[in-house]
Amino acid sequence: YKDRVYVAIGQDPEHGEGKGCLSCIDVTKMGDISKSGIVWQYKDIERSISTVAIADGLLYAADYSGRLHCLDADTGKKLWVFDTKGHIWSSPLVADGKVYLGNEEGELNILAHGKEMKKLATIEFPAPIMSSPVAANGQLLVTTMTHLYCFDENAKPIAQQ
């Protein structure tokens, strides 16, 4: 995003929770950019195994402890944090003006995309959500440990495998 790479660090979830770091790195620098390329670092995040999602200058990053962080992608300034109350293995998805994020409790959390935290809904599934939701062709695909669900734009299930 804007010639920058955003990297969250962590460890294997089997090691449990712990301190993490999210770094913004300018990839236009030359040579060893491990220090000279750092634009900002955000250290209020726990270990993460997720990738970030960025839309309209807002960055969403999840940590294994269960929190979703919303930051200004340019400055790293924290805008808000939402606690899902369940470990997170997946990555956030921004689609249709919403942020989607599943957790190990089997909850798909839906928040409004924006600078202010606004929870829209939580959909409960009978099994953990370990993978990232996917939006395609006006549908939302959610995979749990046991099933694949497909919702149409009105959030009505249209298929289950």
Side-chain angles (χ1 to χ4, degrees):
Y1 179 78
K2 295 185 178 179
D3 292 325
R4 295 177 176 179
V5 173
Y6 299 84
V7 180
I9 60 169
Q11 293 183 356
D12 185 320
E14 298 302 320
H15 294 218
E17 299 177 18
K19 296 302 290 175
C21 182
L22 174 62
S23 298
C24 173
I25 301 167
D26 181 346
V27 297
T28 65
K29 303 288 185 185
M30 301 298 282
D32 180 0
I33 62 170
S34 58
K35 290 192 178 33
S36 65
I38 293 177
V39 177
W40 54 258
Q41 288 188 311
Y42 176 68
K43 295 184 179 180
D44 289 339
I45 192 167
E46 300 294 315
R47 290 180 178 156
S48 178
I49 53 176
S50 305
T51 59
V52 302
I54 301 174
D56 305 318
L58 300 179
L59 178 145
Y60 299 96
D63 63 29
Y64 178 70
S65 296
R67 299 179 304 158
L68 176 65
H69 303 255
C70 178
L71 310 175
D72 180 295
D74 290 326
T75 66
K77 177 186 174 199
K78 176 173 55 176
L79 300 172
W80 52 263
V81 177
F82 174 75
D83 189 354
T84 72
K85 299 187 179 9
H87 289 135
I88 296 173
W89 293 66
S90 65
S91 298
L93 167 71
V94 180
D96 193 30
K98 299 173 190 73
V99 182
Y100 299 88
L101 182 63
N103 69 16
E104 198 174 74
E105 300 299 315
E107 298 168 336
L108 179 66
N109 296 279
I110 306 170
L111 297 101
H113 163 55
K115 292 182 179 182
E116 294 185 24
M117 199 268 298
K118 181 179 179 187
K119 180 180 171 184
L120 300 175
T122 300
I123 301 172
E124 294 186 24
F125 291 84
I129 300 171
M130 309 297 267
S131 63
S132 305
V134 175
N137 302 318
Q139 299 170 332
L140 180 69
L141 301 158
V142 178
T143 305
T144 70
M145 291 286 282
T146 60
H147 290 83
L148 169 64
Y149 297 88
C150 180
F151 296 89
D152 70 10
E153 57 194 33
N154 298 314
K156 295 177 185 171
I158 58 173
Q160 175 180 325
Q161 295 289 324

